[in-house]
Amino acid sequence: MNDTLSRDIENARGQNAWEEKATVFSDYKNRVIGGTLYLVATPIGNLSDMSARALKVLSEVDFIAAEDTRNTLKLLGFFGISRPVVSYYEYNKDKKGEYILNRLKAGESCALVTDAGTPAISDPGEDMVRLCAENDIPVTSIPGCCAAVCALSLSALPTSSFVFEGFLQGGKSDKKKRLEELSLEKRTVILYEAPHRLKDTLSDLLDCFSDRQIAICRELTKLNEQIIRTTLSEAVRIYETEEPRGEYVLVIKGRDERDSKDEFWREMSVSEHVEFYTKLGCEKMEAIKKAAKDRGVGKSSLYKELMGK
Ligand code: SAM
């Protein structure tokens, strides 16, 4: 707390002293201060989720740094806000980061907004916060929506401890390797995924996690919001015939020792079990290997059974 604030709070006296103190504190907290970076959360779909404080800060800062200036100008236009906007995104973040930092050092206030949700969560805002922290520039948050938390709260899966992975990084084999590691995680796992990669990711998840519960959270807070609470094998089936559209968060149940065998194949015959994997795109021998592994038998004995020998 700075001296002016302490003095103002101290000066609040009389019958309604506590109310006055609270008002002084809240006015102080809501004041836009020069040389500060404001991380302003924006809606992830529903514009009514914009907070009053976010609007105030966006209207009062010296300038706004935006991931996609066109999106942000539309948002500002909707709320009748007119402030200078500069772009700050993945491919200019080094150069623009220094530029924003210099303006902050010169005493200007800046609001950082990203395409949607809370800046710095799976977007370049993370680097801007680090740069400010390294340069002793105050950073404060105007909290609001975050797709990961919104999805977790809707998942009906355990929420007391969870791991947020964001987007899986790298090529196919890096992703698979990461999923293998995550499959050992006992906490609920949260992933972000793009629609064009959803089918592959679901089938990789089934492969690595076996048949667990998943909540597929699509288009949160939007008109077509959809939460599919199902199992991984069913999720793969659903998207065999449905084209993924919109934005997705996947929430997957952590590993549970009691049902770690995840025997989704229990009701299947050997040939159905093998066919299940071939339908997911495996070569026949790979499908046999996987089915054998699930059943805890050798692949040659499963092959013999399959051939009726
Ligand atoms: N900073 C953002 C946040 O706080 O959630 C996340 C930014 S990240 C670049 C964008 C990803 O978040 C999308 O690809 C999607 O996985 C997820 N996402 C954002 N909005 C969403 C929505 N309305 N419904 C479902 N997922 C959403």
Side-chain angles (χ1 to χ4, degrees), residues 132-192:
C132 286
E134 285 165 1
N135 286 276
D136 292 327
I137 295 289
V139 182
T140 190
S141 167
I142 314 300
C145 296
C146 173
V149 175
C150 184
L152 176 69
S153 62
L154 290 167
S155 68
L157 293 173
T159 58
S160 55
S161 66
F162 57 90
V163 44
F164 173 62
E165 179 69 10
F167 293 103
L168 292 165
Q169 301 295 320
K172 177 126 181 107
S173 67
D174 298 319
K175 288 183 181 167
K176 208 69 190 282
K177 193 159 163 266
R178 185 66 191 131
L179 286 179
E180 295 284 2
E181 289 163 3
L182 283 171
S183 70
L184 304 175
E185 183 56 64
K186 288 184 181 157
R187 293 170 291 179
T188 301
V189 177
I190 308 174
L191 297 176
Y192 282 163

Side-chain angles (χ1 to χ4, degrees), residues 44-45 67 114 116-123 145-148 167 191-194 217-222 247-249:
I44 58 170
E67 190 178 10
T114 47
T118 300
I121 303 300
S122 283
D123 61 43
C145 296
C146 173
F167 293 103
L191 297 176
Y192 282 163
E193 194 48 288
C217 305
R218 185 174 85 88
E219 296 288 82
L220 294 167
T221 77
K222 301 182 195 174
E247 299 195 278
Y248 288 88
V249 183

Side-chain angles (χ1 to χ4, degrees), residues 76-93:
L76 296 176
F78 182 85
F79 289 107
I81 295 172
S82 165
R83 299 306 303 142
V85 176
V86 302
S87 90
Y88 174 80
Y89 68 106
E90 190 57 36
Y91 299 104
N92 73 1
K93 67 182 180 189

